[in-house]
Amino acid sequence: MRLLPLLALVVLTVRCAHAPEAAPTASAPPSVSWPEALPPALRLPDTVRPVHYALDLKLVP
């Protein structure tokens, strides 16, 4: 009965020691060059017109 755990340990050790190697990769993928990001203009074009207004009125007596 004591031989079974020892035998299992030996089998697992031998099995892990002879694991197949990873296949070599063909080549690295080409690096992607992104265009330089431009900062936002933060202004709407001159052709934009408001479609409605919101009024907030506060009366102080």
Side-chain angles (χ1 to χ4, degrees):
M1 196 53 127
R2 297 182 73 189
L3 185 61
L4 185 61
L6 182 60
L7 182 61
L9 180 64
V10 169
V11 168
L12 289 175
T13 304
V14 170
R15 176 70 179 143
C16 291
H18 297 289
E21 295 182 12
T25 58
S27 64
S31 63
V32 177
S33 61
W34 297 99
E36 187 174 332
L38 299 174
L42 299 179
R43 289 190 155 263
L44 294 174
D46 292 334
T47 58
V48 175
R49 299 286 176 231
V51 292
H52 71 277
Y53 292 94
L55 179 64
D56 186 19
L57 180 65
K58 188 181 287 188
L59 297 176
V60 179

